[in-house]
């Protein structure tokens, strides 16, 4: 399989490739400074499980944080989807509260809710602006078209426009019929979620370092292959915090795990915390019509894959595990926003008649840019948590 990297110069500098390795001393100094800042500032705030998370009051939902020690690519979205599914299967309902990284709502500081219908939300209204929602106020319903005009979004595709507004990860939750609240203020977002949807559970996406809201359970995800990354803090490494921060977690889940072995260097940080292991399983391909199709639909056709995620190698291995043999893989930077020029480049550098396969995260940002005559599929991936029955009492379900 041929690898084609389409990374901008800034990202090549971050990774220190080629001549950019000369910047390593500067990155080491910045990492040292960042470590001092984190040790002094800490991740202070309400302690998990104490009092009433987010000031939600009596009868509040159970608040669960899912986060990483590393920056990017830790498998948060598949695990969050798995938890939401488990909650639903056991009679509960979940709302995801996220900051909406990369979306205009987050950049403009406009809290929003997107997703299925619920109390106070019309089924034909895709977006609810929450910035003025007070104790006696009603949500301000609006549409993607109105926001396109307000923020000068030029994309003709409503799907791409909506992804620009709410962010790529929020669109994945929405596609799985899970309500999403986008708000950098997690406590306020949780209060919005309770008022709009009345859930039994609030899932805080990527909130291990956020302690502005108390949590009933703090779940930390560690990649089984490299749980401590390269051992260095940002920007010389990928760690957001030093390994000692693992002590704050209530539960540890090793992602992309092929075994239940815990390396000695990580075991000393975990202690007697409950530990679970999960693996990513390719579930199906999803076509342009949103319907799932079997992997065999591609037959012996040439296949080109592309992704704009933190760990493209993981996506490539998952694709290969389905039996597909990609001819070429195009790697873009994490959260990359695609343009027609990207599509033209990939088409020109792929075998004739190739079918394209991408991640769910990249699908919403790129599918409508491809001509209708090109076969295009999103690879749906699910996280399987081994022994997840043991999680039930920890997440407020079961005995």
């Amino acid at each position: 399989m041929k690898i084609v990297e389409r990374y901008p110069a800034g990202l090549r500098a971050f990774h220190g490739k080629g001549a950019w390795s000369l910047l390593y001393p500067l990155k080491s100094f910045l990492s040292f400074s960042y470590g001092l800042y984190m040790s002094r500032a800490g991740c202070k705030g309400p302690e998990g499980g104490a009092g009433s998370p987010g000031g939600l009051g009596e009868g509040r939902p159970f608040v669960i944080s899912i986060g990483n020690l590393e920056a990017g690519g830790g498998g948060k979205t598949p695990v969050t989807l798995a938890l939401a599914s488990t909650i639903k299967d056991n009679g509960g309902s979940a709302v995801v509260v996220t900051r909406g990284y990369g979306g205009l709502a987050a950049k403009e500081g406009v809290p929003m809710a997107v997703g299925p219908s619920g109390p106070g939300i019309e089924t034909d209204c895709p977006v609810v602006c929450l910035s003025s929602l007070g104790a006696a106020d009603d949500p301000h319903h609006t549409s993607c078209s109105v926001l396109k005009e307000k923020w000068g979004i030029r994309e003709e595709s409503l799907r791409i426009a909506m992804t620009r507004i709410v962010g790529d990860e929020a669109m994945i939750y929405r596609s799985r019929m899970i309500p999403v609240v986008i708000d950098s203020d997690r406590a306020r977002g949780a209060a919005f979620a309770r008022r709009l949807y009345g859930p039994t559970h609030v899932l805080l996406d990527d909130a291990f370092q956020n302690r502005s809201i108390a949590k009933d359970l703090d779940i930390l995800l560690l990649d089984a292959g490299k749980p401590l990354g390269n051992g260095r803090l940002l920007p010389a490494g990928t760690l957001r915090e030093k390994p000692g921060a693992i002590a704050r977690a209530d539960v540890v889940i090793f992602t992309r795990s092929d075994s239940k072995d815990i390396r000695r260097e990580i075991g000393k940080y975990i202690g007697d915390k409950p530990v679970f292991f999960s693996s990513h399983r390719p579930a199906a391909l999803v076509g342009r019509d949103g319907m799932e199709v079997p992997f065999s639909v591609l037959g012996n056709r040439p296949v080109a894959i592309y992704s704009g995620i933190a760990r493209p190698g993981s996506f490539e291995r998952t694709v290969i595990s389905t039996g597909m043999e990609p001819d070429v893989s195009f790697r873009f930077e994490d959260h990359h926003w695609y343009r027609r020029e990207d599509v033209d480049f990939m088409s020109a550098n792929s075998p004739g008649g190739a079918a394209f396969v991408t991640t769910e995260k990249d699908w919403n940002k790129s599918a409508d840019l491809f001509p209708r005559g090109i076969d295009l599929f999103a690879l749906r991936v699910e996280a399987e948590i081994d022994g997840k029955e043991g999680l039930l009492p920890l997440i407020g379900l079961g005995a």
Side-chain angles (χ1 to χ4, degrees), residues 68-91:
N68 299 108
L69 202 61
E70 273 195 287
K76 292 186 302 297
T77 302
V79 170
T80 302
L81 289 169
L83 288 173
S85 178
T86 298
I87 291 167
K88 181 179 179 181
D89 291 344
N90 286 273

Side-chain angles (χ1 to χ4, degrees), residues 170-186:
M171 288 292 283
I172 296 178
Y173 296 126
R174 182 175 182 267
S175 71
R176 302 294 184 88
M177 300 301 291
I178 300 172
V180 185
V181 171
I182 300 165
D183 196 346
S184 59
D185 184 332
R186 303 303 179 93

Side-chain angles (χ1 to χ4, degrees), residues 86-118:
T86 298
I87 291 167
K88 181 179 179 181
D89 291 344
N90 286 273
S93 60
V95 175
V96 174
V97 175
T98 176
R99 58 179 173 153
Y101 181 83
L104 283 171
K107 292 179 181 178
E108 298 291 332
V110 179
M112 287 188 179
V114 293
S117 61

Side-chain angles (χ1 to χ4, degrees), residues 7 45 58 132 141 210 245 304 320 337-338 370:
Y7 299 136
E58 188 177 353
S132 62
H141 301 86
N210 187 314
I320 293 172
W337 286 104
Y338 295 89
F370 281 81

Side-chain angles (χ1 to χ4, degrees), residues 311-347:
R311 299 179 186 176
S314 176
F315 171 62
E316 292 158 1
R317 290 189 293 272
T318 302
V319 169
I320 293 172
S321 73
T322 69
M324 285 186 273
E325 298 180 359
D327 295 87
V328 59
S329 174
F330 299 95
R331 297 178 174 181
F332 295 86
E333 65 180 317
D334 194 16
H335 295 284
H336 177 69
W337 286 104
Y338 295 89
R339 301 172 299 173
R340 292 194 184 276
E341 290 85 350
D342 296 322
V343 173
D344 292 341
F345 176 86
M346 290 189 288
S347 298

Side-chain angles (χ1 to χ4, degrees), residues 264-284:
R264 182 176 301 176
E265 70 268 23
I266 191 70
K268 64 181 181 181
Y269 296 110
I270 295 176
D272 58 356
K273 298 179 186 298
V275 174
F276 295 84
F277 298 84
S278 74
S279 58
H280 289 184
R281 180 180 68 85

Side-chain angles (χ1 to χ4, degrees), residues 99-338:
R99 58 179 173 153
Y101 181 83
L104 283 171
K107 292 179 181 178
E108 298 291 332
V110 179
M112 287 188 179
V114 293
S117 61
I121 297 180
E122 301 295 333
T123 57
D124 61 349
C125 182
V127 180
V128 178
C129 292
L130 302 171
S131 56
S132 62
L133 180 60
D137 297 329
D138 291 325
H140 172 59
H141 301 86
T142 189
S143 68
C144 190
S145 298
V146 171
L147 293 175
K148 277 185 65 177
E149 182 176 353
K150 174 182 177 181
W151 285 329
I153 301 173
R154 298 185 180 89
E155 280 79 9
E156 296 180 3
S157 164
L158 285 178
R159 174 163 48 190
I160 295 178
M162 189 164 183
T163 307
R164 282 196 175 278
I165 293 169
V166 303
D168 45 26
E169 291 167 347
M171 288 292 283
I172 296 178
Y173 296 126
R174 182 175 182 267
S175 71
R176 302 294 184 88
M177 300 301 291
I178 300 172
V180 185
V181 171
I182 300 165
D183 196 346
S184 59
D185 184 332
R186 303 303 179 93
R188 182 177 62 184
F192 285 154
R194 182 187 184 188
R195 178 169 180 183
L196 291 172
Y197 297 104
T200 61
H201 291 71
V202 167
L203 305 180
L204 304 176
D205 180 287
D206 196 13
F208 186 66
Q209 284 74 34
N210 187 314
R211 304 192 77 194
S212 63
I213 175 174
K215 310 157 189 175
D216 291 292
L217 193 72
D218 227 327
I219 298 178
L220 178 64
L221 308 184
L222 299 174
D223 189 308
K226 50 171 189 175
L228 299 181
N230 63 2
R232 301 187 184 96
L233 291 172
L234 294 168
T238 56
L239 293 180
R240 296 172 172 177
E241 298 182 76
K242 294 180 179 179
I246 295 173
R248 293 204 315 274
D250 299 308
V251 173
V252 172
I253 298 180
F254 284 93
T255 61
R256 301 186 179 93
S257 175
D258 296 324
S259 70
K260 295 185 179 180
D261 294 333
I262 300 177
R263 298 181 184 181
R264 182 176 301 176
E265 70 268 23
I266 191 70
K268 64 181 181 181
Y269 296 110
I270 295 176
D272 58 356
K273 298 179 186 298
V275 174
F276 295 84
F277 298 84
S278 74
S279 58
H280 289 184
R281 180 180 68 85
L285 294 174
V286 180
R288 289 178 184 265
D289 59 0
M291 301 298 293
E292 293 188 356
V293 296
F295 299 114
S296 59
V297 73
L298 296 178
N300 295 319
R301 292 182 55 186
V303 173
I305 64 177
Y306 66 96
S307 60
I309 56 178
R311 299 179 186 176
S314 176
F315 171 62
E316 292 158 1
R317 290 189 293 272
T318 302
V319 169
I320 293 172
S321 73
T322 69
M324 285 186 273
E325 298 180 359
D327 295 87
V328 59
S329 174
F330 299 95
R331 297 178 174 181
F332 295 86
E333 65 180 317
D334 194 16
H335 295 284
H336 177 69
W337 286 104
Y338 295 89

